[in-house]
Amino acid sequence: MVGQETIEVDYLIVGAGAMGMAFADTLVAETDATVAIVDRYGRPGGHWTVAYPYVRLHQPSASYGVNSRELGKGEVDQHGWNAGLYELASADEILNYFDQVMRKTLLPTGRVSYFPMSVYDGADPVRPDVQRCHSVVTGGEFDIRVRRRTVDATYMNVTVPAMCPPKYEVGSGVRLITPNQLPALDHPSSHYTVVGAGKTGIDACLWLLQHGVDPSGITWIMPRDAWLLDRAQYQPGPEFAAINTESLRSRVQAVLESHTVKELFQRLEASGLLLRLSPDVTPTAFRCATVTRAELDQLRRIPDIVRHGRVRHIGTDTVELDEATVSARPGTLYIDCTADGLEPRPAVPTFSGSRITLQALIPCQQVFSAAFTAHVEAAYEDDAQKNRMCAASPHPNTTLDWLRGYAHVDDLLLRWSADSGLREWSDASRLTKHSTGSLSDEERTALFEGLHAEKAKLRELLAHEDLTVTAN
């Protein structure tokens, strides 16, 4: 690339991960804009390119990816722990899918330029409309003049264990691996300890169980228990429409009938909307992880769950945690699952001058959020209006974030419902879980009335919780 002329495009997208690809797909479909995509990896897919080999989506393939191309075959699994529910794409399927989107959807338009194995270095200090990049293969620098906006598709900072070292000390002689290395094991260990309780930790535990490890041979270090979502409640397709409608009705009813946050979570659990690992441990976290009832039954087979906070140091004889020091079992293989794949990031304006910062509008629905943001960019002129329609929501972390997240979703859905164009686009999107397209006018009116009431009650519960904390 050394010596080439400066490239000129309407948009520069930094990052060819799921959000960058979803944004590019919608923008190219709805405008005649020219686009350059710069990405540090050798193929599209972002963190999926370095994810552990056995990873699968925690949501149905049918509602992931980009708007213009289906992911998967739309089939329902007939066996395994996801039986009866829509298929979950594997890492290989997702990477092949994004490769197809790039090669068969975006590049053939002639309006998209793709620069893999390249790093975005920021704006030229003298020419602010020129963005500087370089190849990590050749070191060659190249400039991209952006006529409209630079789109940051990396702000959410999704990480997996293979991308970062553990945040605790590991003593000499301790065997510790990332989940990526599990399929490469060439001999058994006398004991396995999974460090981390998020989606990655769940996947590692299920992988061990699936491969015949006796539950007594597994220790699970869990700094915080989290509320889990029942995947059966989040299925696309007409055959699940009644379940989805009933789930929404149950959620709104639980909110409206609750007087405290504690009571609300009791009602949500009683209605099957939220699940917990251990009935005698009240979760304090919420990270959007989904499981099936069959997977939860498997996880509950693990008897040794260590709940003493985060790991500080793993030695050959002991494991030091925030709240205790426990004995280490001889011959243990530790599996580090502590990378924060859904790191809570401060919400910033989505549209700001010459930049667009992609974030989750609907919590934990990044690809829909990115595609929706591209539609708003294409269809509307005023940034203030765009930001009202694309107010970001940080990834949830605590149980109270469940309340904040749904209050935010209610507010956004009500704003979108007042704009027929946004409502129709959202209802037609294959990526959304909040379609109202199949509802009658009467049902839609009742839904929006319920969302109004739910939003108000959630804010009331949050205010009451704040007062309680202040008083104590």
Side-chain angles (χ1 to χ4, degrees):
M1 298 183 198
V2 177
Q4 74 175 46
E5 294 183 3
T6 299
I7 304 154
E8 290 197 20
V9 294
D10 296 310
Y11 293 86
L12 166 62
I13 299 175
V14 181
M19 295 187 79
M21 295 292 282
F23 183 94
D25 174 77
T26 297
L27 187 72
V28 169
E30 298 186 11
T31 73
D32 60 0
T34 55
V35 177
I37 303 175
V38 172
D39 189 75
R40 61 177 169 162
Y41 295 117
R43 63 188 301 188
H47 75 280
W48 291 106
T49 63
V50 290
Y52 40 102
Y54 56 88
V55 69
R56 287 186 177 272
L57 285 172
H58 268 211
Q59 67 184 74
S61 302
S63 55
Y64 191 80
V66 305
N67 247 337
S68 69
R69 182 182 288 264
E70 296 283 341
L71 171 59
K73 299 178 181 179
E75 296 177 346
V76 173
D77 285 339
Q78 300 303 311
H79 60 87
W81 297 333
N82 194 59
L85 304 180
Y86 273 95
E87 61 185 332
L88 309 172
S90 67
D92 285 343
E93 289 173 316
I94 293 168
L95 288 173
N96 288 333
Y97 168 83
F98 281 127
D99 185 65
Q100 294 285 303
V101 172
M102 181 65 78
R103 292 192 300 108
K104 295 189 176 182
T105 299
L106 298 179
L107 294 179
T109 65
R111 294 185 284 120
V112 176
S113 302
Y114 173 45
F115 300 94
M117 300 301 293
S118 297
V119 173
Y120 170 64
D121 296 316
D124 187 300
V126 178
R127 302 169 295 167
D129 62 327
V130 173
Q131 308 301 311
R132 306 174 72 176
C133 309
H134 74 272
S135 165
V136 299
V137 178
T138 68
E141 300 178 352
F142 59 102
D143 294 339
I144 300 176
R145 177 171 283 109
V146 180
R147 289 187 285 263
R148 297 205 62 186
R149 307 219 206 215
T150 297
V151 182
D152 183 0
T154 67
Y155 181 74
M156 301 310 296
N157 195 35
V158 176
T159 58
V160 295
M163 298 169 66
C164 56
K167 298 178 180 178
Y168 47 85
E169 297 179 354
V170 180
S172 175
V174 173
R175 296 173 59 220
L176 183 141
I177 64 173
T178 69
N180 297 59
Q181 297 167 279
L182 273 175
L185 292 179
D186 56 7
H187 64 276
S189 294
S190 59
H191 196 78
Y192 297 89
T193 294
V194 175
V195 184
K199 174 183 183 295
T200 306
I202 290 172
D203 285 351
C205 289
L206 291 173
W207 189 91
L208 292 169
L209 293 168
Q210 187 178 38
H211 285 79
V213 176
D214 190 287
S216 64
I218 302 172
T219 293
W220 192 0
I221 296 178
M222 183 175 295
R224 298 181 302 164
D225 280 65
W227 287 109
L228 304 170
L229 299 172
D230 183 351
R231 194 175 301 135
Q233 306 279 349
Y234 296 88
Q235 296 292 300
E239 65 270 41
F240 289 97
I243 294 176
N244 293 335
T245 300
E246 181 56 33
S247 295
L248 175 59
R249 185 180 295 113
S250 296
R251 189 193 80 208
V252 172
Q253 181 178 357
V255 171
L256 297 182
E257 293 181 356
S258 297
H259 297 90
T260 65
V261 170
K262 180 179 179 180
E263 181 184 353
L264 170 58
F265 280 97
Q266 290 173 341
R267 291 181 181 274
L268 292 171
E269 182 179 24
S271 63
L273 294 175
L274 292 178
L275 307 172
R276 70 169 104 182
L277 179 64
S278 302
D280 56 340
V281 178
T282 300
T284 59
F286 175 70
R287 305 301 304 276
C288 294
T290 71
V291 294
T292 63
R293 300 285 179 139
E295 289 172 336
L296 186 59
D297 287 342
Q298 291 295 320
L299 294 171
R300 285 172 171 167
R301 296 172 61 209
I302 300 173
D304 187 20
I305 299 179
V306 177
R307 295 180 170 97
H308 296 300
R310 299 183 185 278
V311 173
R312 293 180 177 271
H313 179 270
I314 298 178
T316 54
D317 299 320
T318 60
V319 179
E320 297 177 17
L321 302 108
D322 288 335
E323 301 164 359
T325 296
V326 299
S327 298
R329 301 199 188 192
T332 293
L333 176 65
Y334 295 88
I335 304 144
D336 177 54
C337 301
T338 59
D340 197 346
L342 295 178
E343 177 188 2
R345 300 279 286 164
V348 300
T350 301
F351 302 90
S352 180
S354 62
R355 297 188 68 83
I356 295 175
T357 304
L358 298 183
Q359 299 157 88
L361 311 181
I362 304 293
C364 303
Q365 292 190 32
Q366 293 94 304
V367 291
F368 169 77
S369 299
F372 185 88
T373 300
H375 170 69
V376 170
E377 168 69 2
Y380 299 83
E381 294 294 331
D382 179 62
D383 271 7
Q385 181 185 22
K386 291 179 181 182
N387 279 321
R388 283 195 298 273
M389 297 303 179
C390 295
S393 177
H395 281 311
N397 185 25
T398 68
T399 52
L400 288 182
D401 288 337
W402 186 97
L403 283 75
R404 297 185 182 99
Y406 271 106
H408 176 87
V409 170
D410 291 346
D411 191 50
L412 274 187
L413 293 179
L414 290 168
R415 293 185 199 181
W416 299 349
S417 70
D419 185 307
S420 59
L422 289 181
R423 185 176 67 246
E424 291 169 5
W425 189 93
S426 179
D427 286 344
S429 172
R430 58 171 291 271
L431 305 176
T432 187
K433 300 177 184 177
H434 297 281
S435 175
T436 62
S438 62
L439 302 180
S440 66
D441 290 342
E442 182 179 353
E443 290 172 327
R444 189 178 292 109
T445 298
L447 168 64
F448 292 140
E449 288 176 351
L451 295 182
H452 267 295
E454 181 184 54
K455 181 179 73 170
K457 188 57 181 282
L458 286 170
R459 290 177 174 173
E460 177 186 322
L461 289 170
L462 284 166
H464 179 267
E465 191 72 13
D466 289 340
L467 288 173
T468 302
V469 171
T470 302
N472 292 334

